[in-house]
Amino acid sequence: TSHPPREDLHKTALGAEDAVPWEYYKNPTQAAKIIKEKGIPLVLVEQTHASQSIYKIDSKFPLCFMVGNEVTGVSESLSKLADVHVELPMRGIKHSLNVSVAVGVVGYEFSRYYTQHM
C-alpha cells in the first residue's frame, strides 16, 4: 500500500496527510497486534461468514477499521485478529463497492453512531 511521502498522495490528499497522524508498518499483522494491545477494537470491513450489518452493531470508541484489497480482501490471519466483522448491506447482483467508497460509507455511519451515543 502506498503511504506518505508520495507526490501522488499529496496531490490527492491536499495536505491532509500532514494534518492526520499516521504510521506505516510493512507487516499489517504487526500493526493490528499493536493496536489491539492498546485496547482499540479492530473492525474488519468485509463480507465474511461472521459479518454483520454496520447498522446493527454497538461500538466502543476509539476503533480501527481494517480494509483490504478490492479483489483479495484481508488475509485470513489478519481477519482472525478482528474483534468484529462488518459489512454494508447490498442489494442487486453486485455485492461489493470500491474500497474507498465502502470506507467512506462505513466511516460516516460510525461517525453518526458516535455522535448519537457518546
Side-chain angles (χ1 to χ4, degrees):
T1 301
S2 60
H3 56 84
R6 271 181 59 145
E7 187 56 37
D8 58 340
L9 290 177
H10 177 71
K11 182 179 175 185
T12 303
L14 299 172
E17 75 279 17
D18 297 327
V20 176
W22 61 272
E23 296 178 34
Y24 173 74
Y25 291 86
K26 189 170 185 164
N27 181 336
T29 302
Q30 176 190 12
K33 288 179 179 178
I34 290 169
I35 291 166
K36 282 186 73 89
E37 287 172 4
K38 293 180 179 181
I40 298 172
L42 297 176
V43 178
L44 176 64
V45 181
E46 189 164 313
Q47 293 172 329
T48 69
H49 67 280
S51 60
Q52 54 189 313
S53 169
I54 62 168
Y55 304 114
K56 295 182 178 179
I57 67 162
D58 291 321
S59 293
K60 69 176 199 170
F61 294 87
L63 49 80
C64 175
F65 297 129
M66 297 192 304
V67 296
N69 178 288
E70 292 173 18
V71 176
T72 59
V74 173
S75 71
E76 188 67 29
S77 61
L78 196 55
S79 178
K80 288 180 181 179
L81 291 174
D83 297 295
V84 63
H85 297 196
V86 300
E87 65 180 55
L88 291 165
M90 303 293 294
R91 294 181 180 88
I93 297 169
K94 252 334 228 172
H95 287 162
S96 66
L97 292 172
N98 172 284
V99 68
S100 65
V101 172
V103 168
V105 172
V106 169
Y108 269 88
E109 175 56 21
F110 277 86
S111 175
R112 183 196 63 78
Y113 180 92
Y114 178 83
T115 301
Q116 289 183 342
H117 295 93
M118 299 299 162

